[in-house]
Amino acid sequence: LGPEGYAQLDPTYATRCADTESREFFTGYKSHAIVRHLLETLARQEPARVRLETIARTHRDAPVLAVQVGTPSAPPVFVNCAHHAVEILSTEYCFEILSYLLSPKGKYYTDKFNFTIVPLVNPDGAENFWNLTFKRGRKNGREPNGVDLNRNYPFFWGMVPGGSSDDPLNSYYRGPAPASEPEVQGILKLAERE
């Protein structure tokens, strides 16, 4: 569901996107296309305040986007959301934080810290969730059945009994190896850099 399709479902979408000063800019659940559109719009309209980068490309070549707001030389704060794209509210939390940081009240924090926000770690899962079935939104786009990105991080990978599975058909499949997934690799590199 891209921006054009979303606009058909939500007649206020175009108006909200035209006004980045308004909190309405951020309202409504967001597909990957909407997240990408909103972040690119912010970066284009607020280049002095918003820095956008692609931290990884998924198995289906979708960008995993990170936005930075704040003072680059200040201590970092890292926020990420939607490792499981079915948890659509988590993306909204990231946009709520971003909205606050870009408001006049947020200046207090952006003067003291450099925030990096990844609103949607799992764009392939979001595409599955919005366009195929909610059952495929938990995992990423690795064929044939996806990987649970939360279980793919190297720390204690596969060592917690019942915490993950080595069965690709299981909802908690941890992947073929620690940090095998491009989304997890991107998050790890970003965290190390910051």
Side-chain angles (χ1 to χ4, degrees), residues 12-93:
T12 67
Y13 177 73
T15 304
R16 288 187 286 121
C17 285
D19 183 10
T20 58
E21 296 299 314
S22 166
R23 290 192 34 82
E24 294 300 311
F25 180 76
F26 296 102
T27 61
Y29 292 129
K30 298 160 189 66
S31 67
H32 174 247
I34 300 303
V35 168
R36 184 176 181 179
H37 177 73
L38 292 175
L39 294 179
E40 288 173 348
T41 299
L42 276 174
R44 188 173 51 257
Q45 293 181 353
E46 301 274 355
R49 299 175 67 200
V50 176
R51 299 169 302 282
L52 182 65
E53 71 173 301
T54 299
I55 62 165
R57 295 204 77 85
T58 69
H59 287 287
R60 297 182 189 152
D61 201 38
V64 179
L65 299 173
V67 62
Q68 287 194 334
V69 179
T71 306
S73 60
V77 176
F78 181 42
V79 181
N80 63 76
C81 297
H83 276 73
H84 300 145
V86 295
E87 297 164 356
I88 58 176
L89 195 55
S90 67
T91 300
E92 302 312 308
Y93 291 138

Side-chain angles (χ1 to χ4, degrees), residues 159-177:
M159 295 177 66
V160 178
S164 67
S165 173
D166 60 358
D167 177 0
L169 298 177
N170 190 293
S171 294
Y172 303 107
Y173 177 53
R174 63 181 166 258

